């Protein structure tokens, strides 16, 4: 993983770094960083990269080949292009790009890649600047255009400024690959677009979304030859059933594991769950193996290389159970569980006497017993029963209101930017503290300070969006049936880049850790897209069964227990961060706390 940055200007004027942005970029990649400048007939480019070494030999960035092409890569190749364990994917991809002489050849290379990516590529022969994000937008890339100075800037992460007149940062939309002709770079910047085809989204089908994502002063146009990028996933199955069976009455109002086992007696359900285990297990394997050995680390048996954002819900439990299959038995797995201190109701102050021999500043652990902490502990017990030889580090990450406010002001507000809703604040802060991994573990009945060493962080995002896990899916099904539910799911996956993934990549990357999303693996998405919607979810069944039904059946096949039946609980509510601030806010409201620099 890397922090990548490119500043393009029409003149050789001196460039001054915004210090906060520079610091954020370096935190993403502490293993190596450098700048590289290039001058052309009508432009000057500054390229900067900070590298987090994750696989093969360390490859310094920006990469410059013998022909003068410059490549910046923030991604992972998990399939498509062959990359051996000894190789670095940055180097492999750079070599493939160097052999390309036409736009169609560049697009052909990009469409073969399976995995998350954002890149910037300076093609010297034609004086072109290429950039973009993968189909789902799993890596962050921001851009802005300063009309006063005619400068275009691209960056993995930016900073919130107190100067309202400055050009605003926007997320580069994950709608295709972009190209700027540097030979004509000037006051009117025209950006050629090479859009994704046959996907859930089409660049020119939603003009309002497209225009809001293009910086003021720039114009996006379809590339002249009309070239497109082939979708990396299969199209969504839009079939609807002829009849809908009433199955709710057959199940208890309070579901139990036997209910899922009853459904597993259906051969079609068994086959679908078995196949999903196969593709999801392979997706997890790709993301937890071939990690570099760190010379400065303690022995592998004592420190984890992989962590999981862990609530004890079905999504994270399945990731943990599958990671257990592929991580060497002697390595621990860190389960990162975040809780925000429950606020005590205001009552008249009472004079209390501190009991003898008890420090006055001891805090009761019950103030952090939020719902995700309770289900997390229960999930830990299930995992221990599944594999008693594995060391599971259940990391209790406790956050007070004072620390939340301080770190939001110092770090998180910049990382979440340019997003700014109450939901972005809640999720951004919760994920930032969870990914930091600083908390405590219980050993021999005693709490001990603990800091996760894992550089790979698995997250369960993508499961709800594909398997109807949110309450709004149940509402849509109730009002519009299967057809409405299919439309909702198509919209969910189409907007996941702009709503979640860029933000989460910036927040997790701030700790020099890499977010990996097994549920958004191309093979997993293609398989789930191939299934009719009623095999993935049955929202006529009770909560805790019907939503993400197929995933719950997977959990039972893997040997998990009650966690397979936990209803969906959003992270902001399960961790109780939503209770810490203004309780009268709506998730979509603009969050004033994020706007304070």
């Amino acid at each position: 993983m890397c922090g990548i940055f490119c500043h393009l200007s029409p003149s050789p004027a001196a460039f001054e770094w915004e210090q906060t942005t520079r610091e954020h970029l370096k935190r993403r990649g502490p293993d190596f960083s450098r700048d590289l400048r290039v001058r052309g007939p009508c432009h000057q480019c500054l390229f900067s990269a900070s590298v987090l070494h994750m696989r093969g030999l360390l490859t310094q960035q920006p990469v410059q080949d013998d022909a003068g092409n410059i490549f910046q890569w923030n991604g992972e190749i998990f399939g498509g292009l062959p990359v051996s364990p000894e190789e670095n994917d940055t180097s492999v991809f750079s070599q493939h790009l160097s052999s390309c002489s036409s736009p169609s050849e560049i697009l052909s290379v990009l469409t073969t890649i399976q995995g998350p990516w954002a890149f910037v590529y300076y093609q010297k022969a034609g004086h072109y600047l290429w950039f973009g994000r993968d189909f789902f937008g799993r890596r962050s890339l921001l851009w802005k255009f300063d009309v006063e100075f005619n400068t275009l800037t691209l960056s993995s992460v930016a900073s919130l400024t107190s100067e309202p007149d400055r050009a605003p940062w926007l997320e580069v939309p994950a709608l295709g690959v972009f190209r700027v002709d540097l030979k004509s770079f000037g006051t009117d910047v025209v950006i050629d677009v090479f859009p994704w085809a046959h996907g859930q989204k089409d660049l020119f089908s939603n003009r309002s979304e497209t225009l809001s994502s293009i910086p003021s002063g720039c114009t996006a146009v379809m590339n002249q030859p009309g070239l497109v990028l082939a979708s990396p996933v299969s199209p969504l199955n839009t079939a609807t059933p002829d009849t809908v069976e009433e199955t709710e009455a057959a199940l208890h109002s309070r579901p139990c594991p036997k209910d899922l086992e009853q459904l597993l007696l259906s051969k079609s359900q068994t086959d679908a769950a078995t196949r999903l285990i196969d593709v999801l297990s392979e997706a997890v394997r790709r993301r937890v193996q071939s990690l570099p050995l760190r010379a400065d680390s303690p022995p592998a048996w004592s420190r984890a290389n992989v962590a999981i954002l862990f609530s004890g819900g079905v999504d994270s439990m399945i990731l943990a159970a599958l990671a257990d299959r592929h991580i060497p038995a002697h390595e621990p797995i860190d389960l990162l569980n975040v809780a925000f201190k429950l606020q005590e109701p205001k009552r008249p102050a009472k004079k209390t006497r501190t009991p003898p021999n008890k420090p006055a500043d001891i805090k009761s652990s019950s103030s952090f017993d939020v719902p995700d902490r309770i289900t997390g502990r229960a999930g830990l017990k299930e995992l221990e029963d599944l594999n008693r030889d594995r060391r599971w580090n259940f990391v209790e990450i406790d956050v007070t209101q004072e620390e939340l406010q301080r770190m939001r002001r110092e770090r998180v507000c910049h990382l979440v930017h340019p997003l700014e809703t109450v939901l972005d604040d809640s999720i951004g802060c919760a994920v930032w503290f969870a990914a930091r991994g600083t908390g405590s573990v219980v050993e021999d009945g005693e709490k001990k300070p603990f800091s996760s060493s894992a550089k790979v962080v698995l997250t369960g995002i993508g499961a709800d969006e594909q398997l109807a896990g949110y309450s709004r899916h149940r509402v849509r099904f109730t009002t519009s049936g299967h057809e409405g539910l299919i439309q909702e799911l198509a919209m969910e996956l189409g907007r996941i880049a702009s709503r979640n993934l860029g933000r989460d990549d910036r927040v997790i990357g701030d700790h020099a850790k890499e977010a990996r999303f097994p549920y958004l693996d191309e093979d997993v998405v293609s398989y789930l897209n191939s299934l009719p919607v009623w095999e993935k979810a049955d929202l006529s069944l009770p909560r805790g069964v019907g939503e993400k039904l197929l995933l719950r059946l997977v959990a039972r096949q893997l040997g998990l227990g009650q966690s397979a039946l936990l209803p969906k609980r959003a992270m902001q509510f399960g961790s109780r961060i939503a209770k810490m601030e203004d309780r009268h806010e709506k998730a979509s409201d603009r969050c004033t706390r994020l706007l304070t620099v």
Side-chain angles (χ1 to χ4, degrees):
M1 190 196 74
C2 300
I4 57 179
F5 181 91
C6 173
H7 180 76
L8 172 62
S9 64
S11 65
F15 170 74
E16 293 186 12
W17 274 101
E18 203 292 315
Q19 192 58 35
T20 305
T21 301
R22 180 79 156 177
E23 291 171 358
H24 289 319
L25 288 166
K26 287 191 172 182
R27 273 199 293 269
R28 290 178 64 87
D31 296 326
F32 179 83
S33 64
R34 72 173 175 183
D35 297 346
L36 195 60
R37 287 177 170 81
V38 172
R39 289 189 182 182
C42 305
H43 63 274
Q44 173 178 274
C45 287
L46 166 67
F47 300 94
S48 181
S50 299
V51 179
L52 177 67
H53 179 215
M54 297 299 294
R55 62 197 297 185
L57 296 174
L58 172 64
T59 298
Q60 300 177 356
Q61 292 199 48
V63 177
Q64 186 169 26
D65 65 16
D66 295 337
N69 302 311
I70 296 173
F71 179 55
Q72 295 178 290
W73 173 250
N74 176 28
E76 294 286 352
I77 298 176
F78 292 127
L81 289 180
V83 182
S84 68
E86 300 78 23
E87 290 182 306
N88 182 278
D89 58 347
T90 304
S91 177
V92 170
F93 189 29
S94 177
Q95 292 168 18
H96 277 81
L97 284 179
S98 296
S99 66
C100 296
S101 58
S102 67
S104 60
E105 291 176 342
I106 290 177
L107 299 185
S108 178
V109 174
L110 284 168
T111 54
T112 62
I113 295 174
Q114 292 184 353
W117 50 263
F119 81 103
V120 176
Y121 180 57
Y122 171 69
Q123 191 179 19
K124 186 176 181 181
H127 292 290
Y128 291 115
L129 187 72
W130 295 79
F131 56 93
R133 301 164 69 192
D134 71 76
F135 186 78
F136 298 115
R138 289 165 288 186
R139 291 290 176 260
S140 170
L141 190 63
L142 309 178
W143 60 355
K144 68 175 181 177
F145 182 73
D146 193 316
V147 178
E148 181 180 355
F149 299 103
N150 296 328
T151 57
L152 177 67
T153 309
L154 301 161
S155 182
S156 297
V157 64
S159 58
L160 184 63
T161 176
S162 58
E163 302 175 34
D165 296 332
R166 297 287 296 273
W169 286 101
L170 301 169
E171 288 189 323
V172 174
L175 300 172
V177 173
F178 302 86
R179 186 184 71 172
V180 177
D181 187 344
L182 302 181
K183 298 185 295 295
S184 58
F185 184 76
T187 54
D188 296 320
V189 178
V190 178
I191 301 173
D192 290 327
V193 184
F194 300 82
W196 294 106
H198 311 301
Q200 280 87 358
K201 49 188 182 286
D202 180 348
L203 176 64
F204 298 100
S205 65
N206 188 337
R207 295 301 299 172
S208 61
E209 177 190 351
T210 302
L211 293 174
S212 66
S213 302
I214 305 300
S216 178
C218 300
T219 303
V221 298
M222 182 72 176
N223 68 91
Q224 196 61 43
L227 297 174
V228 297
L229 289 149
S231 170
V233 298
S234 302
L236 182 65
N237 187 330
T238 58
T240 56
D242 295 329
T243 59
V244 179
E245 297 181 1
E246 292 294 333
T247 52
E248 184 171 0
L251 294 177
H252 306 90
S253 58
R254 284 187 145 185
C256 63
K258 288 185 178 179
D259 294 326
L260 291 179
E261 290 167 5
Q262 188 177 359
L263 289 171
L264 274 173
L265 293 176
S266 163
K267 185 177 186 305
S268 62
Q269 293 282 16
T270 302
D271 291 346
T274 301
R275 177 60 182 147
L276 180 54
I277 289 175
D278 290 341
V279 294
L280 188 55
S281 179
E282 175 61 16
V284 171
R285 185 196 67 78
R286 293 171 179 173
R287 287 159 175 79
V288 301
Q289 293 185 353
S290 300
L291 300 176
L293 294 176
R294 299 189 298 278
D296 59 338
S297 298
W301 54 264
S302 66
R303 304 291 274 177
N305 286 311
V306 175
I308 300 169
L309 297 186
F310 188 77
S311 66
V314 64
D315 307 347
S316 58
M317 286 292 291
I318 287 175
L319 292 184
L322 293 177
D324 181 51
R325 289 184 171 187
H326 302 295
I327 294 174
H330 61 270
E331 288 186 16
I333 296 176
D334 291 347
L335 308 174
L336 308 179
N337 182 275
V338 65
F340 292 82
K341 186 178 180 182
L342 295 169
Q343 301 302 299
E344 297 178 3
K346 294 182 179 179
R347 295 173 180 171
K350 294 182 179 179
K351 292 185 178 180
T352 57
R353 186 174 64 87
T354 302
N357 302 320
K358 181 179 180 181
D361 61 348
I362 280 186
K363 299 174 183 176
S364 170
S365 62
S366 63
S367 61
F368 292 102
D369 280 347
V370 302
D372 278 359
R373 178 62 49 79
I374 295 169
T375 55
R377 288 173 181 153
L380 171 65
K381 179 68 168 58
E382 287 190 28
L383 293 173
E384 289 174 336
D385 291 342
L386 203 64
N387 185 351
R388 295 187 177 276
D389 295 328
R390 170 80 64 187
R391 179 178 170 186
W392 302 94
N393 290 322
F394 183 70
V395 189
E396 299 186 7
I397 300 161
D398 298 338
V399 186
T400 64
Q401 187 172 38
E402 294 75 21
E403 187 178 19
L404 168 64
Q405 293 172 345
R406 178 169 59 87
M407 298 316 299
R408 176 197 286 123
R409 183 174 60 252
E410 294 178 7
R411 302 273 279 276
V412 181
C413 71
H414 299 288
L415 301 166
V416 169
H417 185 71
L419 305 186
E420 57 183 18
T421 69
V422 169
L423 184 62
D424 292 318
D425 172 52
S426 296
I427 300 296
C429 289
V431 171
W432 187 88
F433 279 104
R436 186 174 66 167
T438 301
S440 60
V441 296
V442 176
E443 293 182 0
D444 301 323
E446 182 183 352
K447 266 195 171 186
K448 297 181 180 180
F450 186 89
S451 184
S452 174
S453 62
K455 294 299 182 185
V456 167
V457 178
L458 301 183
T459 167
I461 193 166
D464 292 303
E465 287 78 2
Q466 298 179 79
L467 292 147
Y470 294 119
S471 58
R472 58 179 174 268
H473 295 137
R474 191 173 286 272
V475 172
R476 187 67 186 272
F477 174 75
T478 302
T479 58
S480 307
H482 284 96
E483 186 173 351
L485 177 60
I486 291 167
Q487 294 171 357
E488 191 78 14
L489 293 177
M491 180 184 67
E492 291 280 6
L493 210 53
R495 69 184 184 181
I496 196 170
S498 58
R499 286 174 65 93
N500 304 93
L501 293 174
R503 176 200 65 210
D504 290 356
D505 176 63
R506 294 191 294 275
V507 167
I508 294 173
D510 191 55
H511 303 295
K513 301 182 181 185
E514 183 172 279
R516 295 186 175 178
F517 312 99
Y519 290 109
L520 292 173
D521 178 88
E522 286 81 356
D523 291 340
V524 173
V525 176
S526 290
Y527 175 65
L528 290 176
N529 276 358
S530 73
L531 297 174
V533 67
W534 61 88
E535 287 194 22
K536 295 183 283 190
D538 184 350
L539 299 185
S540 67
L541 297 175
R543 285 188 71 232
V545 177
E547 74 279 12
K548 297 188 288 191
L549 172 62
L550 183 57
L551 209 58
R552 300 180 189 282
L553 297 175
V554 163
R556 288 302 296 156
Q557 279 205 24
L558 292 175
L560 299 176
Q562 196 63 38
S563 61
L565 291 157
L566 289 176
K568 167 65 181 178
R569 186 171 52 230
M571 187 178 195
Q572 66 270 30
F573 302 119
S575 67
R576 284 297 189 260
I577 187 173
K579 295 283 189 180
M580 269 198 163
E581 308 287 358
D582 186 348
R583 301 186 186 188
H584 301 290
E585 296 172 318
K586 294 180 180 178
S588 59
D589 288 347
R590 197 168 184 236
C591 182
T592 56
R593 295 181 296 278
L594 285 175
L595 306 178
T596 304
V597 181

